[in-house]
Amino acid sequence: MECTRCGACCVAPDIAALDKPLGMRCPHLTADNLCSVYERRPDVCRAYQADDVCRLIDAPTLEERVGKYLALFELTEEARAIRQSGCSSMRKARHG
């Protein structure tokens, strides 16, 4: 499957290599859902391939796609708690 550049993979999952918490927007994701450090992005981002999950979470807005992703993996409540805490670091989110 070809990437649709929807941005959900840069918001929904946690990305340890970037210390990005679950459900939080990657600081390198631009307003048009492109990576501002694409040429220097971490290996985990380089290795990511669009797949069936992308089809399952298809929706008109980034917020809806992220919500569907989190629900699919039963991470909605964990992501909500992280967002409410205002935690900008995955390490802080996991270790209080």
Side-chain angles (χ1 to χ4, degrees):
M1 175 178 177
E2 190 171 326
C3 177
T4 62
R5 295 177 175 89
C6 77
C9 61
C10 299
V11 179
D14 60 31
I15 303 174
L18 296 170
D19 195 27
K20 188 202 84 59
L22 178 71
M24 302 292 283
R25 186 179 185 90
C26 177
H28 304 293
L29 188 63
T30 64
D32 56 355
N33 294 334
L34 296 176
C35 180
S36 66
V37 296
Y38 187 80
E39 295 302 320
R40 310 183 311 278
R41 70 195 185 280
D43 288 340
V44 68
C45 298
R46 288 179 186 278
Y48 180 78
Q49 297 290 313
D51 58 17
D52 287 336
V53 171
C54 300
R55 284 191 191 95
L56 292 172
I57 66 168
D58 187 38
T61 68
L62 178 58
E63 184 177 337
E64 290 173 287
R65 291 187 293 272
V66 169
K68 288 173 98 174
Y69 178 102
L70 295 171
L72 180 66
F73 293 102
E74 298 179 357
L75 296 168
T76 304
E77 291 306 315
E78 183 179 346
R80 182 177 294 133
I82 290 169
R83 280 192 307 269
Q84 286 177 346
S85 74
C87 198
S88 60
S89 164
M90 189 173 102
R91 286 185 291 270
K92 290 179 186 174
R94 296 220 184 268
H95 303 292

